[in-house]
């Protein structure tokens, strides 16, 4: 198993999900996820669509999709063809014998065949109906959001896309400084969608020395590299996304933090430097209680 498949499988098992459960949440077939985990890229659709499936799967498992997309090949690989067999003299004698037997058999058929029955010509079967295609129009307030459909970039809002293949599709809008919007849409007709984006909460003011401004019962996360983060308190989601490198996020305790790349996140608890959140590249969830 390749590194990409191993990361996906390990993250799924940590969440306690089966392939069928994960596929049901993503509205995909289980064989697509199975092919991703087994690195059988030749069984997947075109690379652009397959990379979109990989991004969605990584986000479901709490992984940073960017490192995984870097491991996905630009084009699927296929096993090399078998070596050509060694040349042997053509069996002309065998070919002549088979031709003679065929001629004798056809002659016997002409002599012994029954009288032909009446034949009826059937019209050829109609060609399969092409998939239905529909237009998609997306408007956002404020405008300028990047629009993705099944992980494939369509453009920025206001967007009027060319006709797209119908079916259940995953729509995502991203705009810096605003919470991303992700919604499953049923493209069974021409759709016109409008979204009002919600600004992200501003992080608490920080300085180069978190220990000087962090009061008791505070958790500060400093990003020393790229990492996906999710911070929750009970059922309430306080933050989810990929902060910029160098950013510092501050939260009141208690909270639960999950990181896709723990080695890139430095933890300060009540002003004390606890070091990195965990090992690089190994997703980890930790809970921090109030004193």
């Amino acid at each position: 198993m390749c590194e990409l498949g191993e990361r996906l499988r390990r993250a799924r098992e940590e969440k306690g999900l089966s392939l069928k459960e994960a596929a049901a949440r993503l509205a995909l077939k289980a064989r697509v996820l199975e092919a991703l985990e087994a690195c059988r890229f030749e069984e997947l659709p075109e690379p652009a669509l397959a990379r979109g499936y990989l991004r969605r799967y990584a986000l479901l498992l709490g992984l940073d999709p960017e490192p995984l997309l870097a491991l996905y090949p630009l084009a699927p690989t296929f096993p090399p063809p078998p070596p050509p067999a060694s040349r042997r003299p053509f069996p002309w004698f065998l070919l002549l014998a088979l031709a003679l037997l065929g001629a004798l058999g056809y002659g016997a058929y002409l002599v012994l065949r029954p009288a032909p029955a009446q034949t009826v010509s059937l019209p050829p079967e109609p060609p399969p109906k092409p998939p239905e295609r529909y237009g998609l129009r997306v408007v956002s307030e404020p405008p300028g959001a990047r629009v993705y459909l099944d992980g494939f970039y369509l453009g920025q809002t206001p967007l009027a896309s060319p006709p797209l293949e119908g079916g259940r599709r995953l729509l995502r809008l991203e705009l810096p400084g605003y919470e991303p919007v992700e919604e499953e849409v049923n493209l069974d007709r021409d759709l016109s969608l409008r979204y009002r984006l919600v600004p992200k909460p501003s992080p608490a003011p920080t300085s180069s020395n978190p220990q000087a401004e962090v009061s008791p019962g505070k958790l500060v996360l400093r990003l020393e590299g790229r990492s996906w983060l999710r911070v929750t308190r009970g059922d309430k989601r306080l933050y989810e996304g990929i902060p910029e490198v160098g950013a510092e996020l501050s939260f009141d305790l208690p909270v639960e933090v999950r990181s896709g790349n723990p080695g890139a996140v430095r933890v300060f608890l009540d002003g004390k430097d606890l070091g990195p959140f965990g090992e690089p590249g190994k997703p980890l969830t930790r809970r921090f209680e109030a004193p």
Side-chain angles (χ1 to χ4, degrees), residues 6-284:
E6 178 63 22
R7 289 190 184 182
L8 293 174
R9 181 192 61 78
R10 187 168 61 244
R12 175 177 57 78
E13 292 178 351
E14 287 181 0
K15 281 185 170 287
L17 292 175
S18 67
L19 280 172
K20 289 185 177 180
E21 292 171 339
R25 292 190 183 184
L26 295 174
L28 295 175
K29 295 183 179 179
R31 60 182 180 84
V32 174
L33 303 185
E34 182 180 1
L36 281 173
E37 291 191 4
C39 298
R40 298 195 299 269
F41 305 119
E42 67 277 4
E43 299 179 10
L44 296 170
E46 61 272 18
L49 190 58
R51 288 168 68 87
Y53 293 158
L54 175 56
R55 177 187 294 274
R56 293 171 54 195
Y57 194 21
L59 291 174
L60 173 67
L61 300 179
L63 299 176
D64 184 357
E66 299 302 329
L68 299 178
L69 290 171
L71 297 175
Y72 188 86
L74 296 178
T77 57
F78 299 92
S86 58
R87 298 178 64 91
R88 296 182 180 179
F90 192 80
W92 294 105
F93 176 76
L94 179 60
L95 181 61
L96 292 175
L98 291 175
L100 179 59
L101 289 176
L104 292 176
Y106 184 68
Y109 165 74
L110 292 178
V111 173
L112 301 176
R113 68 176 177 175
Q118 182 179 4
T119 59
V120 178
S121 298
L122 297 177
E125 294 185 1
K129 185 179 179 181
E132 297 289 342
R133 292 181 173 272
Y134 305 97
L136 177 64
R137 184 173 182 269
V138 182
V139 178
S140 70
E141 296 181 10
R146 295 171 65 88
V147 182
Y148 298 86
L149 191 66
D150 288 341
F152 185 76
Y153 176 63
L154 295 182
Q156 294 183 335
T157 57
L159 171 75
S161 74
L164 301 168
E165 185 174 335
R168 303 189 71 85
R169 314 293 292 272
L170 184 68
L171 182 71
R172 182 178 177 87
L173 276 71
E174 296 180 357
L175 183 64
Y178 292 81
E179 295 287 353
V181 175
E182 188 168 281
E183 179 184 18
E184 186 178 87
V185 297
N186 187 14
L187 197 60
D188 57 355
R189 63 188 183 280
D190 291 340
L191 291 182
S192 180
L193 306 175
R194 179 179 295 272
Y195 297 92
R196 182 181 297 276
L197 303 182
V198 178
K200 290 183 178 179
S202 301
T206 59
S207 66
S208 58
N209 181 15
Q211 299 160 328
E213 298 185 6
V214 175
S215 59
K218 285 284 187 178
L219 175 72
V220 176
L221 304 175
R222 176 189 290 173
L223 275 296
E224 298 180 342
R226 285 182 59 81
S227 174
W228 172 85
L229 285 177
R230 182 179 64 215
V231 183
T232 57
R233 180 180 297 120
D235 296 333
K236 184 178 180 181
R237 182 173 302 180
L238 304 179
Y239 178 82
E240 182 173 2
I242 303 177
E244 296 183 0
V245 177
E248 294 180 359
L249 308 180
S250 177
F251 303 94
D252 293 326
L253 300 180
V255 293
E256 184 175 272
V257 182
R258 179 161 181 87
S259 171
N261 182 21
V265 182
R266 182 168 293 273
V267 179
F268 296 88
L269 183 61
D270 291 341
K272 183 179 179 181
D273 186 355
L274 302 184
F277 189 81
E279 298 182 29
K282 294 185 178 180
L284 179 64

